Amino acid sequence: MANDGNRQSHMPLRGPANAGLVGKLAWRNLWRNRLRTSIMLACMVFGLMGVVSMMGFMTGMYANMIDNAISWQTSHIQISQRAYVDEADIDHQVINPEPIVDALKQLPSLHAYSKRVVIDGMVASARASRGVKIVGVNPQHEADISPVERHIIDGAWLDDSARKPMVISTKTAKRLNARVGSKLIITFTNANKDVTGAAFRVAGTFQSPSSDFDDGHVYVRDSDLQQAAGISGFHQIAVLLTIEDNIDSTAVAQVKSQLQAVSATDNVIRDWQQIQPMLATLMGQMATSNAVVLIIFVSAMGFGIVNIMLMAVFERTREFGVLMAIGMVKKQIFALIVLESTLLGIVGALLGIVISSVVIAILQVTGIPLGSMSQGLAAFGVDTTLYPQVSLSTYQWVFMTVVLVSALAAVYPAWQILTQRPVQAMAEKH
């Protein structure tokens, strides 16, 4: 009977009830040293705030670059003659554009389209000259697809009643020493391969987020440019779709396939990623950049948790020895220590994500002024104020990563206890 009682007192603790007991012990042990746990949680929360804000800033910057490029330069889709893509010759106009336009009008996802005459040439005042792309547009159609009209700084957008109006950037106006009402001369090679010119008056000046775009574009009416060039067609049809996420290429791909079915084989239909491959590469790097930032944080956090758990475990070596002596198996000791660290990660991740989401929500309203950085970022087409973007999937990814690293960080401290025998553990003094 004595032997039976001895065996019974050393039976391992098992079952759902004892699993719940391990959970309760882990939660209580986590708060035995409130100051140490609170300091670690504060470090995790402030660290997560910094990481999420940085990820939101980077994602917002990349998204802003893509949105501005689509709005100002590429649209979602451009249709051109294939030869025009290789060589921007004035004779390389869109072939048989009528079926394309008819198909565009039937698209439920169409926001607007604009037919453009785009010619490389020079714009000159009495004091200076600049090489530019002369863009001939229908004023109403271009206003629907491009934000140029909404970013007029001085004067007005192209007016149908004015005689040969022109809109230039404030940067170009400064370099040409021109202002609203100034007379400018454009020169280019016409359809007969002769150098020709025409006089226009500045109707307004605009400013875009991209300094390169401002340097290289002037706008005139398509009818005025066609008359001066001796052509009747267009070099480009720009298409803007009503999609919420510009990074999602599914809707764009569907429209491309529909337009290819009605377009002449000598035309080429390109989406913005084909027109701006650098931006497409940046889009692919967003996830990588965010992952690098998160890995750096969780690595530092993991070492901190290892340090905390080592101290907590070594302080309780005798306690663990007693638990093993009364029948708690080593697997349960291991689970207890890992669960303590995991609970620390869960609490820290939840607090950090909740506070970070509040901060991001505020910044999405107020924005982040770039200050002196704005001039340098203008070369990449970034606005002077950025609005961070953090998706729900990003929060989920951050939460799971923090919890996983917290659990893994306890493996080494737990293993240190498991290597000791109960008698040795009870004899330890810390």
Side-chain angles (χ1 to χ4, degrees):
M1 294 294 292
N3 290 338
D4 291 343
N6 187 53
R7 284 196 300 269
Q8 186 176 2
S9 64
H10 287 82
M11 288 179 64
L13 301 172
R14 293 174 182 169
N18 291 315
L21 178 61
V22 171
K24 291 180 180 179
L25 284 174
W27 180 253
R28 290 178 180 177
N29 289 338
L30 184 63
W31 295 102
R32 289 172 69 172
N33 192 323
R34 294 179 181 271
L35 178 61
R36 184 167 60 199
T37 300
S38 299
I39 291 174
M40 189 61 202
L41 286 175
C43 292
M44 294 175 68
V45 169
F46 283 106
L48 278 175
M49 287 174 60
V51 167
V52 172
S53 297
M54 178 62 69
M55 293 168 67
F57 178 86
M58 294 171 63
T59 303
M61 184 176 68
Y62 289 149
N64 184 251
M65 290 172 62
I66 292 170
D67 291 344
N68 284 338
I70 291 173
S71 297
W72 287 90
Q73 301 180 51
T74 66
S75 302
H76 287 117
I77 294 173
Q78 284 185 10
I79 302 103
S80 306
Q81 188 181 150
R82 194 176 303 275
Y84 183 83
V85 176
D86 300 326
E87 182 184 1
D89 189 281
I90 194 171
D91 292 327
H92 296 159
Q93 301 160 38
V94 177
I95 298 173
N96 194 19
E98 288 77 12
I100 300 174
V101 172
D102 291 339
L104 285 173
K105 293 177 180 179
Q106 302 302 318
L107 289 176
S109 59
L110 177 70
H111 176 74
Y113 72 91
S114 179
K115 295 183 287 186
R116 297 167 177 165
V117 181
V118 185
I119 302 175
D120 291 329
M122 299 280 294
V123 59
S125 66
R127 298 198 177 179
S129 62
R130 299 286 300 173
V132 293
K133 283 188 180 296
I134 308 164
V135 185
V137 298
N138 177 298
Q140 183 57 53
H141 290 175
E142 190 66 21
D144 292 337
I145 198 173
S146 168
V148 178
E149 182 192 26
R150 299 189 297 275
H151 286 73
I152 296 293
I153 304 299
D154 189 18
W157 178 233
L158 300 174
D159 189 353
D160 289 335
S161 62
R163 186 174 182 274
K164 289 189 176 180
M166 171 186 286
V167 170
I168 62 177
S169 70
T170 54
K171 191 173 182 180
T172 300
K174 184 177 180 180
R175 292 185 173 180
L176 296 180
N177 195 24
R179 59 182 183 274
V180 174
S182 295
K183 183 178 180 180
L184 300 179
I185 305 296
I186 61 170
T187 56
F188 55 91
T189 302
N190 63 16
N192 297 323
K193 308 305 178 186
D194 296 326
V195 177
T196 187
F200 289 80
R201 289 201 177 274
V202 178
T205 60
F206 70 90
Q207 184 174 359
S208 78
S210 172
S211 56
D212 289 341
F213 184 85
D214 287 352
D215 258 339
H217 291 77
V218 300
Y219 288 87
V220 298
R221 289 189 305 225
D222 52 6
S223 56
D224 295 334
L225 189 55
Q226 286 171 330
Q227 182 180 3
I231 61 174
S232 58
F234 299 87
H235 299 110
Q236 180 186 109
I237 302 176
V239 181
L240 191 66
L241 304 176
T242 54
I243 56 178
E244 295 182 359
D245 187 3
N246 286 326
I247 298 176
D248 184 9
S249 59
T250 305
V252 176
Q254 291 176 350
V255 172
K256 278 181 62 179
S257 62
Q258 294 177 23
L259 296 179
Q260 285 168 346
V262 299
S263 175
T265 56
D266 288 335
N267 293 331
V268 60
I269 301 173
R270 300 180 296 162
D271 58 38
W272 67 267
Q273 297 186 49
Q274 294 172 304
I275 302 169
Q276 292 276 8
M278 184 189 74
L279 288 178
T281 302
L282 287 176
M283 182 186 70
Q285 291 178 345
M286 279 196 298
T288 303
S289 301
N290 289 340
V292 169
V293 172
L294 184 59
I295 287 172
I296 293 173
F297 165 73
V298 296
S299 299
M301 182 200 72
F303 286 118
I305 292 177
V306 168
N307 182 46
I308 290 290
M309 294 308 299
L310 276 173
M311 289 189 295
V313 165
F314 287 150
E315 286 176 356
R316 294 150 51 201
T317 302
R318 295 182 65 184
E319 177 185 324
F320 288 128
V322 171
L323 289 175
M324 287 187 286
I326 65 173
M328 181 174 280
V329 296
K330 289 186 175 182
K331 288 183 179 179
Q332 289 177 318
I333 298 289
F334 183 87
L336 176 64
I337 298 172
V338 171
L339 187 55
E340 288 180 26
S341 182
T342 303
L343 288 173
L344 179 65
I346 291 173
V347 174
L350 285 175
L351 288 175
I353 287 175
V354 169
I355 297 175
S356 297
S357 63
V358 173
V359 172
I360 293 298
I362 294 172
L363 291 178
Q364 285 177 339
V365 175
T366 62
I368 304 174
L370 298 179
S372 58
M373 294 174 57
S374 60
Q375 294 183 353
L377 291 174
F380 300 97
V382 179
D383 287 330
T384 57
T385 302
L386 275 185
Y387 297 88
Q389 299 181 13
V390 182
S391 63
L392 177 61
S393 61
T394 300
Y395 285 122
Q396 294 172 339
W397 181 39
V398 169
F399 176 80
M400 290 186 293
T401 304
V402 170
V403 173
L404 177 62
V405 171
S406 300
L408 293 176
V411 172
Y412 176 72
W415 181 256
Q416 293 298 305
I417 289 295
L418 298 186
T419 57
Q420 299 192 29
R421 300 174 65 183
V423 174
Q424 294 173 330
M426 287 188 292
E428 290 285 344
K429 292 182 179 180
H430 294 282

